[in-house]
Coordinates of all heavy atoms in Angstrom, one line a residue:
G29 N 38.2 -17.0 164.4 CA 38.5 -17.9 165.5 C 37.5 -19.1 165.6 O 37.8 -20.1 166.3
A30 N 36.4 -19.0 164.9 CA 35.4 -20.1 164.9 C 35.4 -20.9 163.6 O 34.6 -21.8 163.5 CB 34.0 -19.5 165.2
V31 N 36.3 -20.6 162.7 CA 36.3 -21.3 161.4 C 36.4 -22.8 161.6 O 35.7 -23.6 161.0 CB 37.3 -20.8 160.4 CG1 37.6 -21.7 159.2 CG2 37.0 -19.4 160.0
D32 N 37.4 -23.3 162.4 CA 37.6 -24.7 162.6 C 36.4 -25.4 163.1 O 36.1 -26.6 162.8 CB 38.8 -24.9 163.5 CG 40.1 -24.8 162.8 OD1 40.2 -25.0 161.6 OD2 41.2 -24.5 163.5
A33 N 35.6 -24.8 164.0 CA 34.4 -25.4 164.5 C 33.3 -25.6 163.4 O 32.6 -26.6 163.5 CB 33.8 -24.5 165.6
W34 N 33.3 -24.7 162.4 CA 32.3 -24.8 161.4 C 32.9 -25.6 160.2 O 32.1 -26.0 159.3 CB 31.8 -23.4 160.9 CG 31.0 -22.8 162.0 CD1 31.3 -22.0 163.0 CD2 29.5 -23.0 162.1 NE1 30.2 -21.6 163.7 CE2 29.1 -22.3 163.2 CE3 28.6 -23.7 161.4 CZ2 27.8 -22.2 163.6 CZ3 27.3 -23.7 161.8 CH2 26.9 -23.0 162.9
W35 N 34.2 -25.8 160.1 CA 34.8 -26.3 158.9 C 34.3 -27.7 158.4 O 34.1 -27.9 157.2 CB 36.3 -26.4 159.1 CG 37.0 -26.6 157.8 CD1 37.7 -27.7 157.4 CD2 37.1 -25.7 156.6 NE1 38.2 -27.6 156.2 CE2 37.8 -26.4 155.6 CE3 36.6 -24.5 156.4 CZ2 38.1 -25.8 154.4 CZ3 36.8 -23.9 155.1 CH2 37.6 -24.6 154.2
P36 N 33.9 -28.6 159.3 CA 33.4 -29.9 158.9 C 32.1 -29.7 158.0 O 31.9 -30.5 157.1 CB 33.1 -30.7 160.2 CG 34.1 -30.1 161.1 CD 34.2 -28.6 160.8
Q37 N 31.3 -28.7 158.3 CA 30.1 -28.5 157.5 C 30.4 -27.6 156.3 O 29.7 -27.7 155.2 CB 29.0 -27.8 158.3 CG 28.5 -28.6 159.4 CD 27.3 -27.9 160.1 OE1 26.3 -27.6 159.5 NE2 27.5 -27.7 161.4
V38 N 31.4 -26.8 156.4 CA 31.7 -25.8 155.3 C 32.6 -26.5 154.2 O 32.4 -26.2 153.0 CB 32.4 -24.6 155.9 CG1 33.0 -23.7 154.8 CG2 31.4 -23.8 156.7
E39 N 33.5 -27.3 154.6 CA 34.5 -27.9 153.7 C 33.9 -28.6 152.5 O 34.4 -28.4 151.3 CB 35.5 -28.8 154.4 CG 36.5 -29.4 153.5 CD 37.5 -30.3 154.2 OE1 37.1 -30.9 155.2 OE2 38.7 -30.4 153.8
P40 N 32.8 -29.4 152.6 CA 32.2 -30.0 151.4 C 31.7 -29.0 150.4 O 31.9 -29.2 149.2 CB 31.1 -30.8 152.0 CG 31.4 -31.1 153.4 CD 32.2 -29.8 153.9
L41 N 31.2 -27.8 150.9 CA 30.8 -26.8 149.9 C 31.9 -26.1 149.3 O 31.9 -25.8 148.1 CB 29.9 -25.8 150.7 CG 28.6 -26.4 151.2 CD1 27.9 -25.4 152.1 CD2 27.7 -26.9 150.1
V42 N 33.0 -25.9 150.0 CA 34.2 -25.3 149.4 C 34.8 -26.3 148.4 O 35.1 -25.8 147.3 CB 35.3 -25.0 150.5 CG1 36.6 -24.7 149.9 CG2 34.8 -23.9 151.5
K43 N 34.8 -27.5 148.7 CA 35.4 -28.5 147.8 C 34.5 -28.6 146.5 O 35.0 -28.8 145.4 CB 35.5 -29.9 148.4 CG 36.7 -29.9 149.4 CD 36.9 -31.3 149.9 CE 38.2 -31.4 150.7 NZ 38.4 -32.7 151.3

Side-chain angles (χ1 to χ4, degrees):
V31 168
D32 280 336
W34 287 94
W35 194 247
Q37 293 185 59
V38 170
E39 183 180 28
L41 295 172
V42 169
K43 285 184 173 180

